Amino acid sequence: MKIEAVDFFYVSMPVVTTEADGSQDALLVRVRSGGHEGWGECEAAPLPSIAAFVCPMSHGVCRPVGDSILGQTLNGPDDIARMSRQVAYDSMDLLQAAHTMSGVEMAMWDLLGRVRGEPVWKLLGYTRSAPKVPYASRLFGDTPQETLSIAKKSIADGFKAAKFGWGPIGRGTAKEDSHHFAAAREGLGKDGILLVDVGQIFVEDVARAVERLPALEQAAAVWLEEPFAAAAYEAYGALARKSGKVKLAGGEGAHDTHMARHLIDYGGIGFVQIDCGRIGGIGPAKWVADYAAARGVVYVNHTFTSHLALSASLQPYAGLADHRICEYPAAPKPVALAFVATPLQRDRNGELSAPDKPGLGVEIDRAGLKQYLLDVDIRVGGKTLYRTPEL
């Protein structure tokens, strides 16, 4: 097969707010070859990601991503890896390239799986898709009472675990934050799995993060996620040496395997969270999963958008039966629900597995996509470089 076309579709809510909710817009990618198509999704700002595929070349290692993809042969996983390496080299000075390539790479796996009639996890070498325990991924409430209500709703919705993120945490005192942690624990009950995400709020201030550890331990939080900037490895390592029962989680900000590896080797994290829509796609995420498993670090997906992204994020560790936790977008915006015709379903135990269907096993709802689609027209010097294609 030859890559004949790579199409991008920018969808968005009518109004996008400053809420830390990545499901307010999305960039879908369609790769076509020989009458077949595959779909992927970038976890990135849509417009610059499209531009990174079509922009004029600045110099030899600042080329548009499309130069390394269009017209290339796609007959197996090795071809996907080859194109990924080419993009990494030829577009090394185009910093949006990793985000753009993530969605393209994802779509190539989907296309390859559909052509072969096999799920992506099987193409990755796994013999089965092991069930995961999904956690409801939600934001902290503005008040502890709101956090309590959100936690109770998570249990009522059939989740055994919930993650609370961002919101007011770290913006006030440690005591104020402790009330939210306690409220989350109360709402989940003694058996619910509590996970806490503070969205890099402490940047690299280890002392401020340490102040929260007693309350997190009192609330029996399993992990503290992203206390620092994604590459603040020294700060991660310092906090890891103090964190005791509360392990550190991080990695969603990794846009290559090196960043993820450094968090494991130098940051002392206990859980590595990888977003296939950022790190370069499914192949690099699988590399991290293997690396983490060999070092006793638990691999976890990062997904806060659609079920297309959710399926892609499950593939790299689908066969790792001991790596059980998975993020589940429990309250996405309507746009993230509209373009997926076949969302992933939890089983009677409330667990979730990567689909057995070919490719990513997710079908696109074109009518739903059109409902939120934004037309894009990129022109330079009077020449059209990109225009939203027909669905």
Side-chain angles (χ1 to χ4, degrees):
M1 294 188 296
K2 297 283 187 182
I3 302 296
E4 298 166 359
V6 177
D7 303 320
F8 296 89
F9 301 95
Y10 181 174
V11 294
S12 177
M13 293 294 293
V15 176
V16 175
T17 73
T18 57
E19 181 184 17
D21 184 343
S23 70
Q24 298 183 77
D25 66 9
L27 180 62
L28 301 187
V29 185
R30 181 179 64 188
V31 174
R32 291 184 286 171
S33 176
H36 303 281
E37 66 181 31
W39 289 84
E41 182 179 343
C42 302
E43 175 56 27
L47 187 57
S49 299
I50 299 172
F53 195 84
V54 300
C55 65
M57 176 174 64
S58 292
H59 53 76
V61 291
C62 194
R63 306 184 197 184
V65 173
D67 280 7
S68 302
I69 303 298
L70 294 172
Q72 292 295 311
T73 298
L74 173 59
N75 290 324
D78 289 346
D79 291 320
I80 297 177
R82 170 180 52 79
M83 283 183 268
S84 293
R85 289 192 298 269
Q86 196 67 43
V87 170
Y89 188 82
D90 287 346
S91 303
M92 68 169 69
D93 280 355
L94 185 62
L95 297 186
Q96 194 69 18
H99 280 172
T100 301
M101 186 56 188
S102 295
V104 175
E105 197 258 18
M106 200 184 295
M108 288 194 290
W109 279 106
D110 187 39
L111 171 61
L112 184 62
R114 289 173 182 271
V115 170
R116 291 192 176 183
E118 294 184 334
V120 169
W121 55 262
K122 185 169 287 188
L123 297 179
L124 292 171
Y126 293 124
T127 58
R128 74 184 188 101
S129 175
K132 311 297 182 186
V133 177
Y135 63 80
S137 192
R138 305 185 186 275
L139 301 177
F140 276 105
D142 291 334
T143 66
Q145 188 60 41
E146 288 183 11
T147 296
L148 174 65
S149 297
I150 294 168
K152 288 181 176 180
K153 186 178 189 311
S154 298
I155 296 298
D157 288 345
F159 290 95
K160 301 174 183 177
K163 184 179 80 176
F164 294 83
W166 298 69
I169 304 301
R171 302 183 185 281
T173 67
K175 184 176 182 180
E176 289 170 337
D177 291 349
S178 72
H179 296 317
H180 280 276
F181 304 152
R185 167 50 62 202
E186 180 182 345
L188 294 179
K190 63 182 182 62
D191 295 326
I193 298 172
L194 171 61
L195 313 164
V196 172
D197 177 3
V198 295
Q200 303 185 18
I201 191 66
F202 304 122
V203 187
E204 58 179 348
D205 190 334
V206 176
R208 289 187 65 212
V210 168
E211 287 181 333
R212 274 73 182 173
L213 291 178
L216 286 167
E217 188 161 329
Q218 180 66 31
V222 173
W223 76 46
L224 172 61
E225 178 179 338
E226 286 214 310
F228 309 119
Y233 309 125
E234 185 177 7
Y236 269 98
L239 184 60
R241 291 189 287 273
K242 299 175 180 291
S243 60
K245 293 181 180 179
V246 181
K247 302 301 181 183
L248 302 187
E252 70 175 78
H255 51 76
D256 57 41
T257 58
H258 309 293
M259 291 182 68
R261 177 166 58 84
H262 293 334
L263 273 171
I264 292 171
D265 292 346
Y266 308 121
I269 59 174
F271 299 86
V272 62
Q273 304 161 296
I274 299 301
D275 196 314
C276 287
R278 291 178 181 170
I279 200 169
I282 292 170
K286 173 63 162 58
W287 186 94
V288 176
D290 292 342
Y291 190 85
R295 286 154 183 79
V297 173
V298 179
Y299 184 96
V300 186
N301 67 309
H302 174 267
T303 310
F304 202 79
T305 52
S306 77
H307 280 234
L308 176 63
L310 175 61
S311 177
S313 76
L314 291 171
Q315 308 294 329
Y317 75 126
L320 299 181
D322 294 336
H323 297 236
R324 293 269 290 151
I325 299 177
C326 79
E327 183 167 28
Y328 184 95
K333 293 293 188 284
V335 63
L337 299 173
F339 60 77
V340 174
T342 53
L344 277 58
Q345 301 295 328
R346 289 175 285 159
D347 63 22
R348 64 181 63 184
N349 296 320
E351 297 181 339
L352 186 72
S353 300
D356 291 328
K357 297 177 181 178
L360 296 177
V362 173
E363 300 301 327
I364 299 300
D365 184 331
R366 284 169 165 74
L369 193 158
K370 286 182 179 180
Q371 182 182 352
Y372 292 94
L373 184 63
L374 298 179
D375 284 331
V376 175
D377 190 352
I378 300 176
R379 289 185 287 177
V380 175
K383 179 182 178 182
T384 297
L385 299 182
Y386 193 81
R387 179 173 293 144
T388 300
E390 293 294 324
L391 272 170

